[in-house]
Amino acid sequence: GAGVSQSPSNKVTEKGKDVELRCDPISGHTALYWYRQSLGQGLEFLIYFQGNSAPDKSGLPSDRFSAERTGGSVSTLTIQRTQQEDSAVYLCASSYPSAPGEQYFGPGTRLTVT
Amino acid sequence: AQRVTQPEKLLSVFKGAPVELKCNYSYSGSPELFWYVQYSRQRLQLLLRHISRESIKGFTADLNKGETSFHLKKPFAQEEDSAMYYCALSGANNLFFGTGTRLTVIP
């Protein structure tokens, strides 16, 4: 079946603008994760959604970052007032809740803040 | 605190030579460890998990709790093994990733 999809694949924005990144998880995967991959860094956990439970936002780096998951499916990561240090690849993953270590990743959104 | 360390950013080996990608972790509980791989222009994907003790594409990894290590090994490297490899530790709600090792297999 279809894998995790993300849009856009690339986004260039000016410093100070807001951006929205979208993730469509695999159907049936109730767990959804956002990670950030910066040059030379590993993957940095941002936020986790599981079903209708309150999300785990412990990885969000600042209050400029927020995320929603509507209807238990599609998720949107929003970055307000973007800064140059926000430039990175943003990865979305989904999994069955019984297998949180077996995550299926999307292709990522490359964000460049100029 | 949970942490995953991959000490080598880059690793080059000749085709047919053995390869070992190092991974060390720190975790207070009973760890679940994984190796993920990203081939050129492909998405990150699960390679293997320590629980299943499987061999995937000739790769194996043994969890050594005494040394807190989960090194990835293959006896004979192939050119198609060239990729970025990430070691990951499962936390309560997410995976903790190392910084990755880029493996290049020289023909």
Side-chain angles (χ1 to χ4, degrees), chain A residues 44-79:
Chain A
E44 175 190 5
F45 165 72
L46 297 177
I47 188 167
Y48 161 74
F49 294 91
Q50 168 47 41
N52 295 321
S53 303
D56 176 356
K57 303 180 182 180
S58 60
L60 294 178
S62 77
D63 58 8
R64 296 187 295 104
F65 288 72
S66 62
E68 288 185 338
R69 190 177 185 192
T70 54
S73 181
V74 171
S75 177
T76 302
L77 177 69
T78 301
I79 309 173

Side-chain angles (χ1 to χ4, degrees), chain A residues 3-5 33 35 37 40-45 48 56 58 91 100-107, chain B residues 9 32 34 36 38 42-46 49 84 86 90-100:
Chain A
V4 177
S5 61
Y33 316 78
Y35 294 89
Q37 185 177 33
Q41 306 289 321
L43 278 74
E44 175 190 5
F45 165 72
Y48 161 74
D56 176 356
S58 60
L91 293 173
E102 297 176 26
Q103 297 180 14
Y104 292 78
F105 282 81
Chain B
K9 285 191 174 180
E32 284 191 59
F34 304 82
Y36 277 76
Q38 189 166 26
Q42 294 187 28
R43 60 186 69 190
L44 190 63
Q45 59 186 284
L46 177 65
R49 69 213 101 168
M84 192 75 176
Y86 293 94
S90 185
N93 292 330
N94 59 283
L95 286 170
F96 295 92
F97 285 88
T99 50

Side-chain angles (χ1 to χ4, degrees), chain B residues 37-102:
Chain B
V37 61
Q38 189 166 26
Y39 301 102
S40 178
R41 287 185 285 279
Q42 294 187 28
R43 60 186 69 190
L44 190 63
Q45 59 186 284
L46 177 65
L47 178 62
L48 56 79
R49 69 213 101 168
H50 92 267
I51 286 179
S52 54
R53 302 183 65 84
E54 57 203 342
S55 173
I56 302 291
K57 299 185 178 182
F59 284 98
T60 58
D62 290 320
L63 178 62
N64 186 323
K65 291 187 178 180
E67 296 183 358
T68 59
S69 69
F70 188 56
H71 303 326
L72 183 68
K73 300 177 184 179
K74 185 169 182 176
F76 307 103
Q78 302 299 313
E79 289 179 64
E80 55 265 29
D81 297 329
S82 294
M84 192 75 176
Y85 291 81
Y86 293 94
C87 183
L89 170 68
S90 185
N93 292 330
N94 59 283
L95 286 170
F96 295 92
F97 285 88
T99 50
T101 298
R102 182 170 297 284

Side-chain angles (χ1 to χ4, degrees), chain A residues 4-57:
Chain A
V4 177
S5 61
Q6 292 186 245
S7 61
S9 55
N10 279 284
K11 176 73 177 177
V12 180
T13 190
E14 292 180 354
K15 177 181 171 182
K17 295 281 178 70
D18 297 352
V19 294
E20 281 190 357
L21 313 179
R22 177 188 167 106
C23 171
D24 272 286
I26 291 172
S27 177
H29 281 186
T30 57
L32 186 148
Y33 316 78
W34 283 98
Y35 294 89
R36 178 168 70 175
Q37 185 177 33
S38 306
L39 193 62
Q41 306 289 321
L43 278 74
E44 175 190 5
F45 165 72
L46 297 177
I47 188 167
Y48 161 74
F49 294 91
Q50 168 47 41
N52 295 321
S53 303
D56 176 356
K57 303 180 182 180

